[in-house]
Structure formats: C-alpha cells, structure tokens
Amino acid sequence: MPPVDPARERTDKHDLILDAAIDVFAEKGFHHARISDIARRAGVADGTIYLYFRNKDDVLLTIFEEKMGILIAGVRVALEGITDPMQKVRVFARYHFRQVEDHRALAEVLQIELRLSNKFLKEYRPEKLWEYLGVFATIVREGQEGGVIRPDLDPFVLMWAFFGALDEIAMQWVLAKRRDKFSLEATADTVADVFIRGMAGMEPTAGSEPSRPRTVEET
Amino acid sequence: MPPVDPARERTDKHDLILDAAIDVFAEKGFHHARISDIARRAGVADGTIYLYFRNKDDVLLTIFEEKMGILIAGVRVALEGITDPMQKVRVFARYHFRQVEDHRALAEVLQIELRLSNKFLKEYRPEKLWEYLGVFATIVREGQEGGVIRPDLDPFVLMWAFFGALDEIAMQWVLAKRRDKFSLEATADTVADVFIRGMAGMEPTAGSEPSRPRTVEET
Amino acid sequence: MPPVDPARERTDKHDLILDAAIDVFAEKGFHHARISDIARRAGVADGTIYLYFRNKDDVLLTIFEEKMGILIAGVRVALEGITDPMQKVRVFARYHFRQVEDHRALAEVLQIELRLSNKFLKEYRPEKLWEYLGVFATIVREGQEGGVIRPDLDPFVLMWAFFGALDEIAMQWVLAKRRDKFSLEATADTVADVFIRGMAGMEPTAGSEPSRPRTVEET
Amino acid sequence: MPPVDPARERTDKHDLILDAAIDVFAEKGFHHARISDIARRAGVADGTIYLYFRNKDDVLLTIFEEKMGILIAGVRVALEGITDPMQKVRVFARYHFRQVEDHRALAEVLQIELRLSNKFLKEYRPEKLWEYLGVFATIVREGQEGGVIRPDLDPFVLMWAFFGALDEIAMQWVLAKRRDKFSLEATADTVADVFIRGMAGMEPTAGSEPSRPRTVEET
DNA sequence: AATGAATGAGCTTTCATTCAT
DNA sequence: AATGAATGAAAGCTCATTCAT
C-alpha cells in the first residue's frame, strides 16, 4: 500500500530539507554549512539531498525562489484594499519587518547569503527579488500618478533606497545580541514615515528655495 | 628619501598585499580567492603573506580596518566647514558614492565579502563602520538640536536606514553590467533629498531645501 | 508457444538486462556505467537487476559466461566437417572476426572491460575463455599428430599467440574511427596464413598451403 | 643552502610518485587505486601528487609516455648492428619479454590499464605505442624490400598480430600463479620463429599449391 | 516479482598554512 | 625577511545496493 499521498510525501521531504538548510545556512553561513549538516538536521541521508536538489547551490537558490514567492504573495495580500499609496508604504515596511521577525533564519539567509549568489552565480537573475521590490516601485508610480509623490523621483532609486533601509535595519536587528533591543514595528513606522514625507508631493515647505549643493572636495 | 628604511620597506609590502587582496577579493570573492592568487598579484611568495597577516581572514579584516579609517578621515574632511546639517547629509551621500565610484574593487569587498564572513558578523565588532556611520548620527543629532530635524526620530534608526539606502544602491551600481548605466552623483542627490525632506522639522531652516534631483537615466 | 511460462518470462528479463548491459558497458565502460543506466535501457527498475544478478560484477561475469558459451558452440559448428587442421585455423580466425563484426558491443566488452576487472583477472578463472581457446589448441595438437604442424611447438604458446593476434587486431578494428577502414575478413586470412606457414611441418601435407591473403586497404 | 641539485630533487619526487603509482595500479587496477595509496607508497602527502601531476589520469598517462619512451630507446639499442630482419624479429620478441620480466608491474599497467585510457580518454592518442610498434613495422618493410618477407603481407597487420601475440603471452605470464611456470625467453623464440617462418619469402615449400579456402558457414 | 526512494560509504581534489632553507 | 615545496584536513558528490511497499 503506497503512502496516502505520494506527492505530499515528496513535498514533505523537499520542504524538510529546505527548512533544515535555512537553519544551517543562517547559523554557519552558506560556505561553512556542510551538506551533512543539512542532512542531519533534516533527518535524512546525505545522498537524499541530491535526489531533490542538483547541488548545494541549488538548495540555496530554491530557498530563494520558493520563499520569495511566498513573500510576494503575502505582501500583495497585505496591501489588498488599501488605496492610499502612503499607507501602502507603511504597510509594506511593517509587512517586511514582520516577516523578518517571524522568519529570522530565513531573513539571514536571504539577506546575506543570497548576495553571494547574486554576484557569483553569474547566470542567476534574482527575478523574485525584483518582483518583490517591484511591488514597492508600483506603489511609488501610483503615488506619482495620483499626485501624492513627486514625479521627479526615480521609482527605481526609491525602490532600492527603501529596500536598502529596511534590509540594513533588519540586518542590525538580526545581529543584535539582545533581540528585543528595539521594536521592529516602531522602526517600520519611522522608516516609512521618513520616506513618505521625503517622497511627498508638490506642496513645498513655505519660504524655502533649494541651495546649490557644494561640490565635495576630494580627499 | 631612499626606500632603505626597513619600517618603510615593511609598510610597502603590507600595503602591496592589501591592495592585491582587494582586487582579488573583488574579482573572485573572498572564498574563491586563493592566498596564492593574492601572493602572485602582489609579487610575493605565499609564505610572505603570513609574515604580515595572521591568516586569510586577517587580510580581509585589515582591509576593512585600514580602509574604513581612511574613509572616516575623508568624510570628516569633506564635511569640514559645512554648518547646515541638511547640506551635510547631501555631502555625506555624495562622498560615499564618490568613494564607491573611485574604489570600485574596495567597495565590492566591503559591501559583499565582509558580510559573508560569519566570523565578521557574529564575533567581530565592526567598530570602524559604527564610527563612520556615527558621523551621520552626529549630523542628525546636531540637526535635532538645531531644530531642523524632527526630534522624535531615532538617530540610530536614521543612520542605518540612510546607510542601507546608500549601500543597496551602491550594490546595484556595482552589480550593474553597464557600469555607466546610472549616475551615482545624481542618485546621491535623490537619496539625500528624500531623507532631508523626510527628516525635516515642521519649521524648516533656510537653505535646507533640497535641490532638484536629477532623474536616473533608466535602470 | 505462449510467453506465459514463468521460467520463460524470467529468462526474458534476464536476457533483456544482459543485452542492455552489453550496450551500456560498451558505450561508457564498465566503471562509468551505472546500474541505473542499464536498468533504464532494459526498461526495468534498478532493483530488478538485483533479482537476476548478485551485483554489477556479476552482470559482467554473466555476460562473459553466457556469451562465451554461445561463441564456443558456434566455433564448433563452424569447424564441423573440416578435417584439414590448417583449414581449421583459417575458419577459426574468420569465425572470430565475424563475431567481432556482428557483435561489436559485445566484442568491446569482452575485449576491454573484462580485462579491467581485477577481480576477473586475479580471482576469477575465465574457464570459458580457456575452453574457447582450447578449441584452437586441439586443432594444433591434431595437426601435430597428423604431422602437418611441427611437434616442437607448444600448443599453449601457439594458442595464446594466435588469440593475442586476433584480439589485438579486433581491438584496433573496434577502436578505429572509421570502422570500415579495413576488412576483418581479409585480415583473418592474413593472420591465419602467417600462423599456418609458421607452424607448418617440414613435409607439408597437400591442401595445407595458404591462399593469397588480400592486402589490407591502408591502416 | 639549497639542495645540491634542485632539478634532481624535483625529478626524484616526480619519479618516486610514478614508481609508486605503477606498483599500486598493477596491484589494484587504476580505478581501485586511490591517490592516497600512491601517496603512502611514495612516502609523500596526497596533495604533493597534485604538485607534479594534474590528476589521477595524468599520472597514468605520464607513466605511459615516459616508460614507453625508455622502451623505444631500449629496443632501438637492442636492434643496433643487426642486419638480418629475421634476427631482428627474434631480438624484438626477446627484448619485449625481457622488459616484461624485469618490470612486471609496469607491464601490467601498460597492458591493461592503458587500454582503458586508450578507449575512454577520447582525445588521447598513444603515439608512443605506435612508435614502439613502428619499429617492428619497419623491420617488416625492410624484410620485404630485402626479399626475405613476402611483399603481399600488410606490415600493419603483422605489427598488430605480432604485438598482440607477445602481449597476450605476457599477460598470461603475469597472471600465472607460478611465475616460473614457463620461460618467457623460450617462448619469445617460439613466437618469433612462427612469425619468421610465416612471413618468410618467395621460396614456397616444394610441391604444394594453395587451396582455395572454403567460405565459413555462418552459425 | 517488481519497484524506486533512500541510504551512506567512499574518494578525488583543493588550498590555507607551515617550515626548512 | 623571504621563499615555495610540502602538507593533510576537509567536504561535495556519486552510485551500488537495500528494502518497504
């Protein structure tokens, strides 16, 4: 008699390995993580990992692909029904930090290890990251079309800047020895607030005119 | 001045190795870089590297320590004589990107490789990074004391957010296949502008108004 | 006769696997051939192979045993009715090369792979090979008794020499990129001719004189 | 103070490894031989082997190249001053067997393991083997020009046949449990004798005319 | 009988580090 | 100080074999 649901069975082991890998990668880093570490934590034999993944790199990439897919779906759900772009920015920030808080190990892996891949797995294009960040870029564009965000700002620059801000803060939170040192939720509001005001529309503060920024004197 | 001075001689080889290491790390990544690669590029024997550095990690850490020291000194010089905190923010952003542009290999190493070293992240305290960013936190605090930055914003959160924004954009610039795809200088202004407006108090001080940021020529 | 007979069924799968193994061994070599390759080519599951054979070595050995058995039976049939020992030599050579030509993959396996297995060489006694070659030794002995082959020649030495000659030429033919480069049949005559003359007694019997060997069309 | 002769020093370790490899390959076969086996026997570390050879294959190929070079030089010296082609054949056979006798392990490696490479290292052309055998082909051609060897025999076919005969006998000698079971020297004479007579020239044995060889009846 | 998912031992190769010269 | 040959630990991956179904 076969298992109740072989597909489910397979999925279980696949996921089992991925979850073990996330923990191990987060703990020791991708390069220091051994396949045998992942296997042991997943409760399978070393060779079994190669039944589900081509190699160690493939494990990392699959983590990225699958987990980012969930993240993207999640942020879309979180934004559903919200019409105010500025409110969307706040929700995005909070959602991001919520995920970091709930999936600390995953956050570590995605933040740090993936950059390695991004750079060294030459052929790999992190489409999923672009898709996730594209959600933010779309918010910005909608805000610009709605007149609440200045149209002269490049959505892509804002996208990277916003993500970089969130990412760096998440990193510091992850690295912090006392994890409760600061509240990610409150921080989300701070960051969202600064960006919202910074991107905000055409009504410039009264009585001020931009100064020419001085050129930086090179050292 | 003849190069006979032994101390000078030593320093020369020390720097020679570090500069070679920066190039090699940037090219192949820390883990794929071999000591023999560095030695060959520096024109010394493999063993010689161990006369100047404890091990491979030490080479990376020393790069960080020494180069961040220079970076810190440089940003202080760049900010000298500027009194307006908002202007300082702009200068900081421009200075940061100028360094990235002028020292691409170093930027790659500091941005990516350093984060990869778990040793670095979990045991090593990057005091120099804190010192560099502390310059920005001080700007914020001065702005708050001067009433041009809202006092309810946490300078540390702003510091990490600002650095994260700069860092992420620098990363994208470094990763971009066509390096001239977008102007880091214009982007510096955009990011600084958003933060300046975002952090601004309700009663703006004259001269703190951002300049028109130039639009990035497509991603 | 219906194929329902279980014994017959078993034999079918047994042969199916052996034939698949011959192809795979010839293609990739014994060591590079995977059990799963053989299973796939035979259209059975990996595990099924272990129902018919003890292990991978056993597959190779069984190929040898069974195919050599057929070879031996075949050469005996080919020699049937021939009385002249010298003519038998010629027939043997032609028969051998005909088999190589008709069963190229099998020839490759028997020639090359079998020798590689140290197990085969040092623990296994290739009785079947001795039996096959024994046919030739018998021819020689009969020739010596009949006075057409010099009695001072050791039949075993001649046996190995003759087989070695045939085998080496077959190997070159198998390895040749252009398989039609030379005719194995003509070469069979040349080799047989040299051995017949070389072994001939001083007072030749009529009819033992070799035919003109055809010249090989370039190497 | 450097070693007396660094080149000599290097050569020593190079040769040390090759000689160890010959023994190990002969004992366990190429595929079952582990690099660590070779290293242990050579008295060096595993990694040292990779300072002198690219990989395991390269060790085998180098054995072939270098040892065949010596073999070729040796057979030429052995043939020096001999003018009679038939005598040359005898000397060649004796020389070959002498080498097998004196370098049993090497003979095993060259005979068996090399065929694997020959077949599977697709790009590899065993030029040295052709060069060695070419010496024999030349003898045949000279004999044909001198009228002592029938001109209708293809020198290449004879070359492979002769080598195959020697090789097979050498193999049996190597495999024989009682190594003194038969004298290679006497056997050399037998084989040479058969070939010499078999190849011999235009004076056919009196009173005999070649019969048409019957066509082999296929099984 | 048949399956094929799972196992885990086995081995080549790399490269940071050492140390005799 | 400098060299660079030598070291040897370490680990990713393969694949013959097993066994629960």
PDB file of all heavy atoms in Angstrom, chain D residues 150-176:
ATOM      1  N   ARG D 150      57.514 -11.912 -47.496  1.00  0.00           N
ATOM      2  CA  ARG D 150      56.588 -11.804 -48.615  1.00  0.00           C
ATOM      3  C   ARG D 150      56.014 -10.393 -48.712  1.00  0.00           C
ATOM      4  O   ARG D 150      55.513  -9.860 -47.717  1.00  0.00           O
ATOM      5  CB  ARG D 150      55.456 -12.817 -48.450  1.00  0.00           C
ATOM      6  CG  ARG D 150      55.871 -14.225 -48.887  1.00  0.00           C
ATOM      7  CD  ARG D 150      54.702 -15.166 -48.800  1.00  0.00           C
ATOM      8  NE  ARG D 150      54.324 -15.322 -47.412  1.00  0.00           N
ATOM      9  CZ  ARG D 150      53.077 -15.454 -46.987  1.00  0.00           C
ATOM     10  NH1 ARG D 150      52.078 -15.431 -47.865  1.00  0.00           N
ATOM     11  NH2 ARG D 150      52.818 -15.607 -45.721  1.00  0.00           N
ATOM     12  N   PRO D 151      56.044  -9.821 -49.885  1.00  0.00           N
ATOM     13  CA  PRO D 151      55.616  -8.428 -50.036  1.00  0.00           C
ATOM     14  C   PRO D 151      54.102  -8.244 -49.979  1.00  0.00           C
ATOM     15  O   PRO D 151      53.618  -7.127 -49.854  1.00  0.00           O
ATOM     16  CB  PRO D 151      56.139  -8.060 -51.427  1.00  0.00           C
ATOM     17  CG  PRO D 151      56.217  -9.353 -52.161  1.00  0.00           C
ATOM     18  CD  PRO D 151      56.499 -10.421 -51.148  1.00  0.00           C
ATOM     19  N   ASP D 152      53.375  -9.343 -50.056  1.00  0.00           N
ATOM     20  CA  ASP D 152      51.916  -9.205 -50.052  1.00  0.00           C
ATOM     21  C   ASP D 152      51.332  -9.076 -48.656  1.00  0.00           C
ATOM     22  O   ASP D 152      50.132  -8.863 -48.504  1.00  0.00           O
ATOM     23  CB  ASP D 152      51.279 -10.408 -50.755  1.00  0.00           C
ATOM     24  CG  ASP D 152      51.709 -11.706 -50.080  1.00  0.00           C
ATOM     25  OD1 ASP D 152      52.919 -11.879 -49.832  1.00  0.00           O
ATOM     26  OD2 ASP D 152      50.818 -12.523 -49.791  1.00  0.00           O
ATOM     27  N   LEU D 153      52.161  -9.188 -47.635  1.00  0.00           N
ATOM     28  CA  LEU D 153      51.655  -9.081 -46.264  1.00  0.00           C
ATOM     29  C   LEU D 153      51.655  -7.620 -45.814  1.00  0.00           C
ATOM     30  O   LEU D 153      52.648  -6.906 -45.999  1.00  0.00           O
ATOM     31  CB  LEU D 153      52.527  -9.905 -45.314  1.00  0.00           C
ATOM     32  CG  LEU D 153      52.570 -11.412 -45.609  1.00  0.00           C
ATOM     33  CD1 LEU D 153      53.623 -12.083 -44.718  1.00  0.00           C
ATOM     34  CD2 LEU D 153      51.201 -12.022 -45.401  1.00  0.00           C
ATOM     35  N   ASP D 154      50.588  -7.208 -45.228  1.00  0.00           N
ATOM     36  CA  ASP D 154      50.488  -5.827 -44.754  1.00  0.00           C
ATOM     37  C   ASP D 154      51.299  -5.658 -43.471  1.00  0.00           C
ATOM     38  O   ASP D 154      51.019  -6.299 -42.454  1.00  0.00           O
ATOM     39  CB  ASP D 154      49.011  -5.507 -44.473  1.00  0.00           C
ATOM     40  CG  ASP D 154      48.816  -4.049 -44.104  1.00  0.00           C
ATOM     41  OD1 ASP D 154      49.692  -3.486 -43.411  1.00  0.00           O
ATOM     42  OD2 ASP D 154      47.797  -3.474 -44.519  1.00  0.00           O
ATOM     43  N   PRO D 155      52.308  -4.791 -43.491  1.00  0.00           N
ATOM     44  CA  PRO D 155      53.146  -4.622 -42.291  1.00  0.00           C
ATOM     45  C   PRO D 155      52.350  -4.230 -41.053  1.00  0.00           C
ATOM     46  O   PRO D 155      52.710  -4.606 -39.935  1.00  0.00           O
ATOM     47  CB  PRO D 155      54.114  -3.502 -42.690  1.00  0.00           C
ATOM     48  CG  PRO D 155      54.140  -3.526 -44.175  1.00  0.00           C
ATOM     49  CD  PRO D 155      52.760  -3.964 -44.614  1.00  0.00           C
ATOM     50  N   PHE D 156      51.273  -3.485 -41.261  1.00  0.00           N
ATOM     51  CA  PHE D 156      50.496  -3.063 -40.090  1.00  0.00           C
ATOM     52  C   PHE D 156      49.731  -4.213 -39.466  1.00  0.00           C
ATOM     53  O   PHE D 156      49.641  -4.334 -38.252  1.00  0.00           O
ATOM     54  CB  PHE D 156      49.544  -1.927 -40.470  1.00  0.00           C
ATOM     55  CG  PHE D 156      50.251  -0.607 -40.568  1.00  0.00           C
ATOM     56  CD1 PHE D 156      50.552  -0.057 -41.799  1.00  0.00           C
ATOM     57  CD2 PHE D 156      50.645   0.072 -39.421  1.00  0.00           C
ATOM     58  CE1 PHE D 156      51.224   1.142 -41.893  1.00  0.00           C
ATOM     59  CE2 PHE D 156      51.314   1.281 -39.506  1.00  0.00           C
ATOM     60  CZ  PHE D 156      51.607   1.821 -40.745  1.00  0.00           C
ATOM     61  N   VAL D 157      49.216  -5.060 -40.324  1.00  0.00           N
ATOM     62  CA  VAL D 157      48.524  -6.233 -39.790  1.00  0.00           C
ATOM     63  C   VAL D 157      49.519  -7.117 -39.032  1.00  0.00           C
ATOM     64  O   VAL D 157      49.243  -7.586 -37.917  1.00  0.00           O
ATOM     65  CB  VAL D 157      47.850  -7.031 -40.916  1.00  0.00           C
ATOM     66  CG1 VAL D 157      47.340  -8.367 -40.385  1.00  0.00           C
ATOM     67  CG2 VAL D 157      46.704  -6.226 -41.525  1.00  0.00           C
ATOM     68  N   LEU D 158      50.675  -7.300 -39.632  1.00  0.00           N
ATOM     69  CA  LEU D 158      51.690  -8.111 -38.963  1.00  0.00           C
ATOM     70  C   LEU D 158      52.115  -7.482 -37.644  1.00  0.00           C
ATOM     71  O   LEU D 158      52.312  -8.167 -36.638  1.00  0.00           O
ATOM     72  CB  LEU D 158      52.914  -8.262 -39.879  1.00  0.00           C
ATOM     73  CG  LEU D 158      52.663  -9.072 -41.152  1.00  0.00           C
ATOM     74  CD1 LEU D 158      53.919  -9.061 -42.026  1.00  0.00           C
ATOM     75  CD2 LEU D 158      52.278 -10.507 -40.796  1.00  0.00           C
ATOM     76  N   MET D 159      52.242  -6.179 -37.674  1.00  0.00           N
ATOM     77  CA  MET D 159      52.644  -5.445 -36.476  1.00  0.00           C
ATOM     78  C   MET D 159      51.668  -5.693 -35.342  1.00  0.00           C
ATOM     79  O   MET D 159      52.069  -6.024 -34.216  1.00  0.00           O
ATOM     80  CB  MET D 159      52.701  -3.965 -36.836  1.00  0.00           C
ATOM     81  CG  MET D 159      52.854  -3.009 -35.704  1.00  0.00           C
ATOM     82  SD  MET D 159      52.857  -1.300 -36.354  1.00  0.00           S
ATOM     83  CE  MET D 159      51.184  -0.765 -35.977  1.00  0.00           C
ATOM     84  N   TRP D 160      50.386  -5.543 -35.616  1.00  0.00           N
ATOM     85  CA  TRP D 160      49.399  -5.746 -34.555  1.00  0.00           C
ATOM     86  C   TRP D 160      49.313  -7.207 -34.145  1.00  0.00           C
ATOM     87  O   TRP D 160      49.149  -7.539 -32.961  1.00  0.00           O
ATOM     88  CB  TRP D 160      48.013  -5.263 -35.000  1.00  0.00           C
ATOM     89  CG  TRP D 160      47.922  -3.766 -35.077  1.00  0.00           C
ATOM     90  CD1 TRP D 160      47.667  -3.008 -36.182  1.00  0.00           C
ATOM     91  CD2 TRP D 160      48.114  -2.841 -33.993  1.00  0.00           C
ATOM     92  NE1 TRP D 160      47.680  -1.672 -35.869  1.00  0.00           N
ATOM     93  CE2 TRP D 160      47.954  -1.541 -34.530  1.00  0.00           C
ATOM     94  CE3 TRP D 160      48.408  -2.987 -32.645  1.00  0.00           C
ATOM     95  CZ2 TRP D 160      48.075  -0.395 -33.756  1.00  0.00           C
ATOM     96  CZ3 TRP D 160      48.547  -1.836 -31.867  1.00  0.00           C
ATOM     97  CH2 TRP D 160      48.375  -0.564 -32.424  1.00  0.00           C
ATOM     98  N   ALA D 161      49.418  -8.073 -35.127  1.00  0.00           N
ATOM     99  CA  ALA D 161      49.352  -9.500 -34.810  1.00  0.00           C
ATOM    100  C   ALA D 161      50.531  -9.902 -33.919  1.00  0.00           C
ATOM    101  O   ALA D 161      50.362 -10.586 -32.902  1.00  0.00           O
ATOM    102  CB  ALA D 161      49.359 -10.320 -36.099  1.00  0.00           C
ATOM    103  N   PHE D 162      51.694  -9.448 -34.289  1.00  0.00           N
ATOM    104  CA  PHE D 162      52.891  -9.789 -33.520  1.00  0.00           C
ATOM    105  C   PHE D 162      52.815  -9.207 -32.112  1.00  0.00           C
ATOM    106  O   PHE D 162      53.054  -9.902 -31.116  1.00  0.00           O
ATOM    107  CB  PHE D 162      54.129  -9.252 -34.252  1.00  0.00           C
ATOM    108  CG  PHE D 162      55.425  -9.725 -33.678  1.00  0.00           C
ATOM    109  CD1 PHE D 162      55.779 -11.072 -33.719  1.00  0.00           C
ATOM    110  CD2 PHE D 162      56.323  -8.822 -33.113  1.00  0.00           C
ATOM    111  CE1 PHE D 162      56.993 -11.508 -33.190  1.00  0.00           C
ATOM    112  CE2 PHE D 162      57.536  -9.253 -32.581  1.00  0.00           C
ATOM    113  CZ  PHE D 162      57.872 -10.595 -32.622  1.00  0.00           C
ATOM    114  N   PHE D 163      52.443  -7.946 -32.043  1.00  0.00           N
ATOM    115  CA  PHE D 163      52.331  -7.313 -30.731  1.00  0.00           C
ATOM    116  C   PHE D 163      51.251  -8.001 -29.893  1.00  0.00           C
ATOM    117  O   PHE D 163      51.431  -8.254 -28.700  1.00  0.00           O
ATOM    118  CB  PHE D 163      51.995  -5.831 -30.878  1.00  0.00           C
ATOM    119  CG  PHE D 163      51.714  -5.161 -29.559  1.00  0.00           C
ATOM    120  CD1 PHE D 163      52.710  -5.032 -28.600  1.00  0.00           C
ATOM    121  CD2 PHE D 163      50.440  -4.681 -29.273  1.00  0.00           C
ATOM    122  CE1 PHE D 163      52.452  -4.425 -27.380  1.00  0.00           C
ATOM    123  CE2 PHE D 163      50.172  -4.069 -28.047  1.00  0.00           C
ATOM    124  CZ  PHE D 163      51.184  -3.943 -27.103  1.00  0.00           C
ATOM    125  N   GLY D 164      50.135  -8.315 -30.528  1.00  0.00           N
ATOM    126  CA  GLY D 164      49.058  -8.995 -29.808  1.00  0.00           C
ATOM    127  C   GLY D 164      49.521 -10.319 -29.257  1.00  0.00           C
ATOM    128  O   GLY D 164      49.217 -10.680 -28.113  1.00  0.00           O
ATOM    129  N   ALA D 165      50.268 -11.029 -30.058  1.00  0.00           N
ATOM    130  CA  ALA D 165      50.778 -12.327 -29.616  1.00  0.00           C
ATOM    131  C   ALA D 165      51.704 -12.157 -28.410  1.00  0.00           C
ATOM    132  O   ALA D 165      51.544 -12.829 -27.382  1.00  0.00           O
ATOM    133  CB  ALA D 165      51.520 -13.006 -30.760  1.00  0.00           C
ATOM    134  N   LEU D 166      52.632 -11.236 -28.521  1.00  0.00           N
ATOM    135  CA  LEU D 166      53.556 -11.002 -27.409  1.00  0.00           C
ATOM    136  C   LEU D 166      52.794 -10.550 -26.171  1.00  0.00           C
ATOM    137  O   LEU D 166      53.048 -11.002 -25.049  1.00  0.00           O
ATOM    138  CB  LEU D 166      54.585  -9.917 -27.792  1.00  0.00           C
ATOM    139  CG  LEU D 166      55.556 -10.219 -28.936  1.00  0.00           C
ATOM    140  CD1 LEU D 166      56.555  -9.072 -29.086  1.00  0.00           C
ATOM    141  CD2 LEU D 166      56.312 -11.524 -28.688  1.00  0.00           C
ATOM    142  N   ASP D 167      51.871  -9.640 -26.406  1.00  0.00           N
ATOM    143  CA  ASP D 167      51.143  -9.031 -25.308  1.00  0.00           C
ATOM    144  C   ASP D 167      50.295 -10.054 -24.560  1.00  0.00           C
ATOM    145  O   ASP D 167      50.262 -10.077 -23.330  1.00  0.00           O
ATOM    146  CB  ASP D 167      50.241  -7.932 -25.882  1.00  0.00           C
ATOM    147  CG  ASP D 167      49.835  -6.932 -24.823  1.00  0.00           C
ATOM    148  OD1 ASP D 167      50.690  -6.570 -23.990  1.00  0.00           O
ATOM    149  OD2 ASP D 167      48.662  -6.509 -24.846  1.00  0.00           O
ATOM    150  N   GLU D 168      49.641 -10.896 -25.304  1.00  0.00           N
ATOM    151  CA  GLU D 168      48.770 -11.889 -24.675  1.00  0.00           C
ATOM    152  C   GLU D 168      49.581 -12.884 -23.864  1.00  0.00           C
ATOM    153  O   GLU D 168      49.210 -13.264 -22.745  1.00  0.00           O
ATOM    154  CB  GLU D 168      47.955 -12.620 -25.750  1.00  0.00           C
ATOM    155  CG  GLU D 168      46.906 -13.554 -25.195  1.00  0.00           C
ATOM    156  CD  GLU D 168      45.830 -12.834 -24.399  1.00  0.00           C
ATOM    157  OE1 GLU D 168      45.320 -11.803 -24.894  1.00  0.00           O
ATOM    158  OE2 GLU D 168      45.520 -13.273 -23.273  1.00  0.00           O
ATOM    159  N   ILE D 169      50.691 -13.276 -24.424  1.00  0.00           N
ATOM    160  CA  ILE D 169      51.544 -14.214 -23.694  1.00  0.00           C
ATOM    161  C   ILE D 169      52.099 -13.564 -22.436  1.00  0.00           C
ATOM    162  O   ILE D 169      52.143 -14.177 -21.364  1.00  0.00           O
ATOM    163  CB  ILE D 169      52.681 -14.714 -24.609  1.00  0.00           C
ATOM    164  CG1 ILE D 169      52.082 -15.662 -25.660  1.00  0.00           C
ATOM    165  CG2 ILE D 169      53.772 -15.409 -23.807  1.00  0.00           C
ATOM    166  CD1 ILE D 169      53.004 -15.958 -26.815  1.00  0.00           C
ATOM    167  N   ALA D 170      52.490 -12.318 -22.580  1.00  0.00           N
ATOM    168  CA  ALA D 170      52.989 -11.594 -21.412  1.00  0.00           C
ATOM    169  C   ALA D 170      51.909 -11.520 -20.344  1.00  0.00           C
ATOM    170  O   ALA D 170      52.174 -11.696 -19.146  1.00  0.00           O
ATOM    171  CB  ALA D 170      53.433 -10.190 -21.818  1.00  0.00           C
ATOM    172  N   MET D 171      50.687 -11.264 -20.777  1.00  0.00           N
ATOM    173  CA  MET D 171      49.567 -11.207 -19.842  1.00  0.00           C
ATOM    174  C   MET D 171      49.416 -12.525 -19.103  1.00  0.00           C
ATOM    175  O   MET D 171      49.279 -12.560 -17.869  1.00  0.00           O
ATOM    176  CB  MET D 171      48.288 -10.911 -20.621  1.00  0.00           C
ATOM    177  CG  MET D 171      47.023 -11.125 -19.854  1.00  0.00           C
ATOM    178  SD  MET D 171      46.388  -9.617 -19.183  1.00  0.00           S
ATOM    179  CE  MET D 171      46.060  -8.725 -20.693  1.00  0.00           C
ATOM    180  N   GLN D 172      49.456 -13.614 -19.836  1.00  0.00           N
ATOM    181  CA  GLN D 172      49.309 -14.924 -19.197  1.00  0.00           C
ATOM    182  C   GLN D 172      50.458 -15.190 -18.239  1.00  0.00           C
ATOM    183  O   GLN D 172      50.266 -15.762 -17.164  1.00  0.00           O
ATOM    184  CB  GLN D 172      49.218 -16.025 -20.255  1.00  0.00           C
ATOM    185  CG  GLN D 172      47.988 -15.917 -21.131  1.00  0.00           C
ATOM    186  CD  GLN D 172      46.696 -15.830 -20.330  1.00  0.00           C
ATOM    187  OE1 GLN D 172      46.537 -16.471 -19.309  1.00  0.00           O
ATOM    188  NE2 GLN D 172      45.769 -14.996 -20.788  1.00  0.00           N
ATOM    189  N   TRP D 173      51.623 -14.749 -18.636  1.00  0.00           N
ATOM    190  CA  TRP D 173      52.784 -14.941 -17.771  1.00  0.00           C
ATOM    191  C   TRP D 173      52.603 -14.142 -16.483  1.00  0.00           C
ATOM    192  O   TRP D 173      52.872 -14.617 -15.388  1.00  0.00           O
ATOM    193  CB  TRP D 173      54.051 -14.496 -18.507  1.00  0.00           C
ATOM    194  CG  TRP D 173      55.299 -14.710 -17.717  1.00  0.00           C
ATOM    195  CD1 TRP D 173      56.009 -15.869 -17.639  1.00  0.00           C
ATOM    196  CD2 TRP D 173      55.962 -13.743 -16.897  1.00  0.00           C
ATOM    197  NE1 TRP D 173      57.091 -15.700 -16.817  1.00  0.00           N
ATOM    198  CE2 TRP D 173      57.081 -14.389 -16.338  1.00  0.00           C
ATOM    199  CE3 TRP D 173      55.727 -12.420 -16.586  1.00  0.00           C
ATOM    200  CZ2 TRP D 173      57.968 -13.745 -15.484  1.00  0.00           C
ATOM    201  CZ3 TRP D 173      56.589 -11.765 -15.731  1.00  0.00           C
ATOM    202  CH2 TRP D 173      57.706 -12.441 -15.183  1.00  0.00           C
ATOM    203  N   VAL D 174      52.133 -12.916 -16.651  1.00  0.00           N
ATOM    204  CA  VAL D 174      51.927 -12.051 -15.491  1.00  0.00           C
ATOM    205  C   VAL D 174      50.858 -12.641 -14.575  1.00  0.00           C
ATOM    206  O   VAL D 174      50.962 -12.602 -13.354  1.00  0.00           O
ATOM    207  CB  VAL D 174      51.522 -10.630 -15.952  1.00  0.00           C
ATOM    208  CG1 VAL D 174      50.844  -9.863 -14.825  1.00  0.00           C
ATOM    209  CG2 VAL D 174      52.735  -9.875 -16.472  1.00  0.00           C
ATOM    210  N   LEU D 175      49.826 -13.181 -15.191  1.00  0.00           N
ATOM    211  CA  LEU D 175      48.722 -13.719 -14.398  1.00  0.00           C
ATOM    212  C   LEU D 175      49.042 -15.071 -13.773  1.00  0.00           C
ATOM    213  O   LEU D 175      48.400 -15.465 -12.798  1.00  0.00           O
ATOM    214  CB  LEU D 175      47.470 -13.861 -15.268  1.00  0.00           C
ATOM    215  CG  LEU D 175      46.824 -12.573 -15.756  1.00  0.00           C
ATOM    216  CD1 LEU D 175      45.625 -12.887 -16.617  1.00  0.00           C
ATOM    217  CD2 LEU D 175      46.422 -11.705 -14.567  1.00  0.00           C
ATOM    218  N   ALA D 176      49.997 -15.762 -14.355  1.00  0.00           N
ATOM    219  CA  ALA D 176      50.294 -17.107 -13.868  1.00  0.00           C
ATOM    220  C   ALA D 176      50.643 -17.063 -12.386  1.00  0.00           C
ATOM    221  O   ALA D 176      51.386 -16.203 -11.924  1.00  0.00           O
ATOM    222  CB  ALA D 176      51.442 -17.704 -14.677  1.00  0.00           C
TER     223      ALA D 176
END
